[in-house]
């Protein structure tokens, strides 16, 4: 028998520790918060002491009371508690009591329906301690969550549920995991629904697989420096189109290759991330950015090899931001596209991206909806012209799939899951009944490695979901301040034991995204970036979480702070009008002033306080960016080293304790590792020698003996969604 508990608008699967809302959707809450919920529900109306909750939820580790308070806060927010609706009663200095009316439902075990298959078809061999402990648990959780979802609906249909559900589809949508492999993505499906194509590691391997037989073939071998983007089948299923960048094609190009393999043909160049193919297979549409003019255009290119192109619209990058892809309507008469009426709007809150259509012949532009988005990934028209299917990010939710109807602009959520969907994978069959998309899961933990970087001496310190993934810093007493993720929120935590035997404590616990913490050298204050006031600004807080203070204001977006060794100054990146400059301000707050007049990101102050290092991004994926060494007083460039690989996110460089070199992350060859560039010159030297996973952030300990590293992985899978829209 499997127990479900109903209360309010929720249903809780106690065996698998999964919470559903009134629409049968997963409620996003931390695993610890859900374990606490189970303890409280099973003790309904009984006062449960704090000691009892801690002993049951954290049976194998020592935690402080602040951790319990943090997860109770998260649980209350997930349940949407308000003055009118309370679920948990706090009894001061004693504990908690679950006060909502609870009804228990028992459901017999059932066999999972054949059309719901979330079991991985191929297990991934564990590589290293982290992979073994995290990946297996992640896959198990996905299986259990999927099974729980099915059982929940079966129990619901057999029982007399009090929930008022309003399903969006007459026939339930099914999701099947068809490619499981960890580092695969940008999947698409053939028009007849028989084949899928995907790449692995984004390094140039292109595969095609028959869905029914699971037989696959490698149709394109990797080339040096090649990176893949979006893909699409031709309407007749004979070809695959894809984007690629390499050292021999620095601006990137749109290529075509036969599904049987052979020599690729380059069709067009200088394309921004995505493209779509017209329904007749004769044209491609995409955005193209002209860096010197600071303009971005919608381009339609012929696919007959003639090189014929047509410019549909052009936007001033100083005034507007483009995102996603211009998507051909099935009749070929219009394009849908995404635009913000402000610069620097993509992936930076608040949400400002909107959907528009443009008639290709007349250039008439119309808004499709008043909904605003932070970013939009791959999108396609439904084959019957009923609207757009796309991957979108808005508010505080992770990337999910949505449907925007045309012409009435009604928005429907297709997915609402704990996993995030990748921007690059999407394909729809010609009859509109099936779609493939990429699911991404990220997991990072803190590790300590000796100053010599030898990975065999690395020690794992934490086991959270996304520890340090958005930054970390160290204190003089050996403690670590790091970011961790709770649902869609990112908080600052502090760990008290470098041996990893003690769980950290929260410094911030709220509905905001806190990131990139940096401690003053004396350890008395923490400066970090947060969106708690709308735009991304800088804040400071004491190491115990008290005395929170906002430091920067205005229309800019401030990030990547660092504090001078004497504690008097803060340097940071300010992004205004799509330009990134280094600014400087008093550590206690006050007027800021611009330090550099050139593009530069993520400053770091040298140990003697006389210089800063920062990153000058590369212009394309095939080129290296630069490490800049500049004066702390004037911003004048003293040296530069062209050694940085292209990256989507440039984390701050770290100076070695002696100030003679800077350490940077290199991502051109996975796994990622840390490298050291001596200021005296010469080639960079590899510092760490990890054989797996990515590095997200890192910092030296104050004694100069160790490096604390946030490292982990992004796990990609391709899923098929069937019957994903009403009346299909």
């Amino acid at each position: 028998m499997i127990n479900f508990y109903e209360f309010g608008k929720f249903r809780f699967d106690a065996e698998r520790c999964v919470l559903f809302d009134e629409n049968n959707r997963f409620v996003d809450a931390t695993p610890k918060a859900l374990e606490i919920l189970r303890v409280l529900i099973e003790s309904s109306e009984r006062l449960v002491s704090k000691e009892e909750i801690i002993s049951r939820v954290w049976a194998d580790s020592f935690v402080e009371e602040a951790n319990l308070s943090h997860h109770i806060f998260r649980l209350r927010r997930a349940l949407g508690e308000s003055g009118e609706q309370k679920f948990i009663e706090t009894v001061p200095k004693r504990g908690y009591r679950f006060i909502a009316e609870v009804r228990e439902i028992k459901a017999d075990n059932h066999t999972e329906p054949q059309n719901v298959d979330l079991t991985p078809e191929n297990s991934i061999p564990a590589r290293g301690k982290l992979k073994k402990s995290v990946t297996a648990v992640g896959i198990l959780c996905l299986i259990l969550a999927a099974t729980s979802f099915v059982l929940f609906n079966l129990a619901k249909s057999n029982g007399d549920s009090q929930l008022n559900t309003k399903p969006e589809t007459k026939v339930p949508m099914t999701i099947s995991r068809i490619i499981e492999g960890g580092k695969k993505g940008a999947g698409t499906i053939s028009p007849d629904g028989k084949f899928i194509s995907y790449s692995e590691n984004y390094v140039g391997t292109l595969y095609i697989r028959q869905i029914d037989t699971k037989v696959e073939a490698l149709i394109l071998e990797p080339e040096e420096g090649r990176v893949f983007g979006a893909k699409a089948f031709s309407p007749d299923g004979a070809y695959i189109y894809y984007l690629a960048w390499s050292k021999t094609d620095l601006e990137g190009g749109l290529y075509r290759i036969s599904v049987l393999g052979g020599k690729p043909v380059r069709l067009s160049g200088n394309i921004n991330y995505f493209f779509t193919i017209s329904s007749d297979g004769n044209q491609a549409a995409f955005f193209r950015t002209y860096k010197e003019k600071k303009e971005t255009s919608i381009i339609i290119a012929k696919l007959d090899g003639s090189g014929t192109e047509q410019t549909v619209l052009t936007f001033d990058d100083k005034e507007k931001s483009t995102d996603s892809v211009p998507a051909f309507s099935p009749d070929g008469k219009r394009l849908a596209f995404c635009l913000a009426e402000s610069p620097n709007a993509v992936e930076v809150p608040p949400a400002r991206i909107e959907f528009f259509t443009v008639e290709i012949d007349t250039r008439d532009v119309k808004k499709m909806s008043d909904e605003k988005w932070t970013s939009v990934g791959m999108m396609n028209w439904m084959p019957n012209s009923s609207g757009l299917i796309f991957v979108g990010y808005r508010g505080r939710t992770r990337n999910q799939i949505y449907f925007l109807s045309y012409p009435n602009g009604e928005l429907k959520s297709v997915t609402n899951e704990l996993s995030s969907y990748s921007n690059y994978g999407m394909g729809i069959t010609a009859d509109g009944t099936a779609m493939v998309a990429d699911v991404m899961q990220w997991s990072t933990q803190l590790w300590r490695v000796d100053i010599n970087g030898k990975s065999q001496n690395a020690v794992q310190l934490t086991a959270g979901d996304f520890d340090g993934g958005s930054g970390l810093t160290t204190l003089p007493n050996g403690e670590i301040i790091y970011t961790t993720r709770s649902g869609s929120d990112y908080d600052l935590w502090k760990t008290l034991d470098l041996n990893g035997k003690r769980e950290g404590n929260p410094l911030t616990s709220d509905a905001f995204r806190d990131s990139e913490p940096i401690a003053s050298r004396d350890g008395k204050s923490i400066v970090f970036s947060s969106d708690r006031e709308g735009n991304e600004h800088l804040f400071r807080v004491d190491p115990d979480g008290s005395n929170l203070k906002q430091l920067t204001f205005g229309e800019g977006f401030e990030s990547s702070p660092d504090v001078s060794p004497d504690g008097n100054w803060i340097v940071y990146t300010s992004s205004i009008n799509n330009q990134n400059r280094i600014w400087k301000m008093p550590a206690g707050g006050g007027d800021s002033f611009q330090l550099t007049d050139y593009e530069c990101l993520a400053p770091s102050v040298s140990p003697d306080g006389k210089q800063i290092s920062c990153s000058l991004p590369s212009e394309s994926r095939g080129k290296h960016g630069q490490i800049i060494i500049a004066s702390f007083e004037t911003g004048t460039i003293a040296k530069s080293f062209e050694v940085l690989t292209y990256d989507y996110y440039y984390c701050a460089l770290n100076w070695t304790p002696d100030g003679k070199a800077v350490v940077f992350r290199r991502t051109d060859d996975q796994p990622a590792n840390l490298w050291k560039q001596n200021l005296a010159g010469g080639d960079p030297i590899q510092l760490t020698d990890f054989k797996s996973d990515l590095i997200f952030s890192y910092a030296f300990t104050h004694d100069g003996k160790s490096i604390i590293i946030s490292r982990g992985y992004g796990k990609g899978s391709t899923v098929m969604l069937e019957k994903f829209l009403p009346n299909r």
Side-chain angles (χ1 to χ4, degrees):
M1 303 292 288
I2 294 178
N3 293 321
F4 295 95
Y5 296 97
E6 285 186 349
F7 58 93
K9 64 179 182 180
F10 299 100
R11 181 176 288 208
F12 182 64
D13 179 348
E15 182 174 332
R16 295 169 179 81
C17 215
V18 180
L19 183 64
F20 301 92
D21 65 12
E22 74 273 24
N23 292 317
N24 301 354
R25 295 172 176 171
F26 295 113
V27 176
D28 197 356
T30 64
K32 291 296 185 188
L34 293 175
E35 289 181 37
I36 293 170
L37 177 62
R38 177 165 55 192
V39 171
L40 293 177
I41 289 179
E42 291 175 349
S43 307
S44 183
E45 297 186 358
R46 177 176 73 86
L47 174 64
V48 187
S49 69
K50 296 178 181 179
E51 292 76 15
E52 179 182 347
I53 296 174
I54 290 174
S55 66
R56 292 178 63 179
V57 175
W58 288 275
D60 300 323
S61 61
F62 175 81
V63 300
E64 297 189 1
E65 192 175 302
N67 291 55
L68 175 58
S69 300
H70 168 82
H71 290 291
I72 288 286
F73 167 82
R74 290 290 177 193
L75 179 56
R76 281 185 161 130
R77 195 159 66 83
L79 295 174
E81 278 200 349
S82 64
E84 295 76 25
Q85 178 67 70
K86 292 289 187 182
F87 297 97
I88 302 170
E89 176 189 14
T90 300
V91 180
K93 298 183 180 180
R94 297 182 62 191
Y96 302 93
R97 179 187 289 115
F98 198 79
I99 58 176
E101 182 180 351
V102 177
R103 189 163 70 95
E104 182 177 343
I105 296 177
K106 293 183 180 292
D108 293 332
N109 288 316
H110 294 274
T111 302
E112 185 174 341
Q114 293 298 313
N115 62 349
V116 180
D117 179 17
L118 289 175
T119 304
E121 61 186 44
N122 294 307
S123 298
I124 311 170
R127 292 186 295 169
K129 185 175 181 181
L130 178 64
K131 280 285 188 181
K132 186 174 181 179
S133 62
V134 178
T135 305
V137 172
I139 294 173
L140 178 60
C141 288
L142 283 172
I143 298 170
L144 291 178
T147 306
S148 175
F149 181 80
V150 175
L151 291 171
F152 163 58
N153 283 285
L154 290 171
K156 181 177 177 60
S157 62
N158 293 332
D160 54 345
S161 172
Q162 296 176 345
L163 298 180
N164 179 23
T165 60
K166 296 179 180 179
E168 292 185 354
T169 58
K170 292 183 179 180
V171 180
M173 177 179 71
T174 62
I175 303 179
S176 304
R177 195 170 297 273
I178 53 177
I179 293 291
E180 182 78 33
K183 297 178 180 178
K184 301 175 180 179
T188 189
I189 191 168
S190 61
D192 60 10
K194 295 181 179 180
F195 295 89
I196 59 171
S197 178
Y198 66 92
S199 57
E200 186 172 10
N201 291 331
Y202 300 98
V203 294
T205 53
L206 184 62
Y207 291 86
I208 188 168
R209 171 183 286 205
Q210 189 172 28
I211 295 176
D212 289 342
T213 65
K214 299 180 182 179
V215 174
E216 70 177 20
L218 175 66
I219 62 173
L220 186 63
E221 295 282 358
E223 296 180 14
E224 184 181 5
R226 183 179 290 275
V227 181
F228 275 134
K231 301 175 185 62
F233 279 87
S234 60
D236 60 8
Y239 296 95
I240 298 172
Y241 295 90
Y242 63 92
L243 295 180
W245 295 261
S246 68
K247 293 181 179 179
T248 57
D249 189 358
L250 298 181
E251 68 175 11
L254 174 62
Y255 291 79
R256 181 179 64 203
I257 188 171
S258 168
V259 295
L260 301 177
K263 185 176 178 59
V265 177
R266 189 178 189 272
L267 301 170
S268 188
N270 189 9
I271 296 173
N272 295 10
Y273 309 114
F274 306 99
F275 67 93
T276 58
I277 302 296
S278 60
S279 58
D280 60 10
N282 294 329
Q283 301 178 103
F286 49 84
F287 283 120
R288 174 179 292 160
T289 296
Y290 301 93
K291 294 183 182 298
E292 293 184 358
K293 295 181 179 180
K294 299 187 185 306
E295 293 178 344
T296 297
S297 297
I298 295 177
I299 303 294
I300 294 177
K302 293 284 188 181
L303 297 178
D304 57 6
S306 65
T308 303
E309 294 185 347
Q310 173 187 0
T311 299
V312 180
L313 293 174
T314 297
F315 310 102
D316 187 339
D317 293 341
K318 299 187 295 298
E319 298 177 357
K320 303 180 187 298
S321 300
T322 56
D323 198 20
S324 186
V325 59
F328 273 108
S329 61
D331 60 10
K333 295 181 178 180
R334 67 187 58 86
L335 293 167
F337 64 96
C338 291
L339 182 72
E341 298 289 338
S342 58
N344 197 35
V346 179
E347 295 186 352
V348 179
R352 289 168 289 172
I353 302 290
E354 296 180 286
F355 281 83
F356 297 85
T357 60
V358 56
E359 301 296 319
I360 295 175
D361 290 340
T362 65
R363 307 298 198 268
D364 289 341
V365 175
K366 295 181 180 179
K367 185 187 293 188
M368 293 184 67
S369 167
D370 290 329
E371 297 279 347
K372 290 183 170 58
W373 303 81
T374 304
S375 67
V376 179
M378 190 64 193
M379 68 178 180
N380 284 283
W381 282 82
M382 286 296 295
N384 64 356
S385 299
S386 60
L388 293 170
I389 288 285
F390 63 95
V391 177
Y393 169 65
R394 62 173 183 165
R396 310 200 63 79
T397 61
R398 302 180 191 179
N399 269 12
Q400 297 295 321
I401 299 176
Y402 298 88
F403 171 68
L404 181 62
S405 66
Y406 179 82
N408 61 17
E410 181 182 356
L411 182 69
K412 291 184 180 293
S413 176
V414 176
T415 63
N416 186 11
E417 302 179 35
L418 301 181
S419 300
S420 178
Y421 283 83
S422 166
N423 283 329
Y424 293 93
M426 177 173 285
I428 302 174
T429 56
D431 61 8
T433 61
M435 168 176 59
V436 296
D438 292 345
V439 174
M440 293 299 299
Q441 292 175 286
W442 296 94
S443 178
T444 67
Q445 291 75 38
L446 299 188
W447 292 71
R448 186 186 71 236
V449 64
D450 294 340
I451 195 69
N452 60 18
K454 299 300 181 183
S455 62
Q456 63 266 29
N457 299 323
V459 177
Q460 186 174 345
L461 303 179
T462 66
D465 176 35
F466 203 63
D467 295 341
S470 293
L472 66 91
T473 187
T474 59
L475 299 178
N477 63 1
E479 297 175 348
I480 306 168
I481 307 293
Y482 62 97
T483 59
T484 191
R485 183 175 62 196
S486 299
S488 298
D489 304 326
Y490 292 74
D491 293 312
L492 302 185
W493 282 55
K494 178 169 65 174
T495 183
L496 304 176
D497 189 342
L498 293 186
N499 293 318
K501 297 178 181 178
R502 185 173 180 141
E503 187 165 318
N505 293 319
L507 294 187
T508 62
S509 184
D510 45 47
F512 304 109
R513 184 185 181 99
D514 301 333
S515 62
E516 302 175 317
I518 186 71
S520 59
R521 297 296 170 93
D522 61 10
K524 294 183 178 180
S525 67
I526 312 297
V527 180
F528 63 97
S529 177
S530 177
D531 64 356
R532 60 186 60 230
E533 292 298 327
N535 286 359
E536 198 170 319
H537 293 304
L538 299 187
F539 294 78
R540 68 160 301 282
V541 69
D542 289 351
D544 62 359
S546 63
N547 297 322
L548 179 67
K549 179 182 179 180
Q550 185 172 350
L551 298 176
T552 61
F553 305 83
E555 297 300 318
F557 299 87
E558 292 87 38
S559 62
S560 305
D562 195 20
V563 182
S564 62
D566 59 12
N568 293 332
W569 297 94
I570 297 172
V571 291
Y572 59 92
T573 304
S574 180
S575 300
I576 302 175
N577 295 332
N578 215 24
Q579 296 181 336
N580 300 296
R581 302 291 186 261
I582 307 303
W583 285 62
K584 185 176 176 181
M585 69 176 299
D591 294 337
S592 303
F593 63 90
Q594 186 173 325
L595 185 60
T596 68
D597 59 1
Y598 47 85
E599 182 79 5
C600 209
L601 298 168
S604 179
V605 186
S606 62
D608 62 8
K610 295 181 179 180
Q611 295 178 303
I612 62 168
S613 64
C614 58
S615 301
L616 176 60
S618 58
E619 295 182 354
S620 69
R621 292 163 181 78
K623 292 183 179 180
H624 279 153
Q626 298 179 46
I627 292 176
I628 300 294
I629 307 298
S631 167
F632 177 76
E633 294 297 331
T634 65
T636 303
I637 297 177
K639 297 181 179 181
S640 65
F641 304 93
E642 195 171 303
V643 294
L644 288 179
T645 52
Y646 179 90
D647 213 335
Y648 291 100
Y649 171 75
Y650 290 85
C651 60
L653 309 169
N654 276 254
W655 291 77
T656 55
D658 61 11
K660 294 182 179 180
V662 290
V663 175
F664 63 98
R665 178 183 65 177
R666 195 162 184 169
T667 58
D668 51 346
D669 296 317
Q670 293 189 23
N673 272 292
L674 299 181
W675 290 64
K676 180 172 66 175
Q677 176 62 57
N678 289 313
L679 268 62
D683 292 334
I685 302 168
Q686 186 170 340
L687 183 59
T688 63
D689 61 349
F690 291 110
K691 303 300 189 294
S692 65
D693 299 333
L694 301 172
I695 291 176
F696 291 79
S697 59
Y698 55 98
F700 287 94
T701 56
H702 281 247
D703 61 12
K705 296 180 180 180
S706 304
I707 310 173
I708 307 300
I709 300 175
S710 171
R711 56 185 295 265
Y713 63 89
K715 180 175 178 291
S717 303
T718 300
V719 298
M720 178 181 289
L721 297 85
E722 298 179 89
K723 303 179 179 67
F724 54 90
L725 287 182
N727 304 318
R728 302 301 306 170

